[in-house]
Amino acid sequence: MQNKITSLSHSLKNYKYIFFDLDNTIYDFRDYDYGAMKEVFKLLKIKIYKPELIKFINYRQKNLYKKNLIDNFLGKINIQKNLIKKSILTFKNHNCKYIKSQKSLRGLLKRLKEKKKILFIVSNGEINRQKKILNKLKIKKYFKKIIIFSSKKNKLKPNKFGFEKIYKKTMNLKEFVMIGDSKIDKRFAKNCRIKFIKFKYINTNYEKTRFI
C-alpha cells in the first residue's frame, strides 16, 4: 500500500487544488463495516466464522447500492426479525471506534497541507456517519472545505454542485484534480472538466486471518 501512496503523492505534485472522495479513498470502508458488524454480534451474543464475515463485507463493498444486504445476511444465520431491526440500528449508529487513523491517507494529507496544497472532500456518504469517520481519522484540519451531500439527492456526485461551491473564475482548471475510487468520482471529474486519478485505499487485514 505504501508504494501506491508514494506514487499518488508524486502524481499530485503539479496540482494546487485537490478534491478527495472519503470512503475507500482516504480509508478502507470495510473498517467501518467490520467494526459495525462486530457490534451487531455483541448485541446478538453470537460468534460467527470469520471468513464468512469477511466474505460478506467484501460482497457488500461491491454492492453498496443494493438494499437489505445486512437483513439478508442476518436472516441466513437464523436471526429473528425483531432482532434484525435492532441489529440494523446498531450497525447504522456504530461509533467507528475500530477505524484507525494509521490505516488511512492521513500522513499524505499532512504532507500535502505542509506543501501548501488546498484540499477538499466531496462525499455522497451519510452525513452523521461521515462526521464520525472524519473525527476518528483526525483529518478535518487538513481540508479547506468538506462537502457532504447525503440528504441532497440532486446535488450528489457526479453532479458538479460540490465543485461549483469551490471554483472561482480566477482559478485555473488545470490546477484541479479529483482523487477517488469509483466511476461516480470519475464522472464527477469529467463533469467538472478536471483531471481524475483513480485511487483505492486497501487495508490488507481483510485478506489475512482476523479474529472477532
Side-chain angles (χ1 to χ4, degrees), residues 161-195:
F161 182 83
F163 178 77
E164 291 173 338
K165 287 180 69 70
I166 304 300
Y167 179 71
K168 295 180 174 59
K169 290 183 179 180
T170 54
M171 296 174 170
N172 185 347
L173 284 174
K174 292 182 179 180
E175 294 184 307
F176 282 84
V177 64
M178 172 68 192
I179 314 300
D181 68 292
S182 70
K183 291 180 180 179
I184 288 175
D185 295 321
K186 185 175 182 178
R187 286 166 55 200
F188 171 76
K190 183 178 180 180
N191 289 341
C192 299
R193 297 182 293 125
I194 63 175
K195 176 74 174 178

Side-chain angles (χ1 to χ4, degrees), residues 12 20 108-117:
L12 297 176
F20 283 89
L108 173 62
L109 298 173
K110 182 176 183 291
R111 292 191 295 274
L112 291 172
K113 180 75 171 179
E114 290 170 349
K115 292 178 181 179
K116 309 300 182 184
K117 304 291 187 180

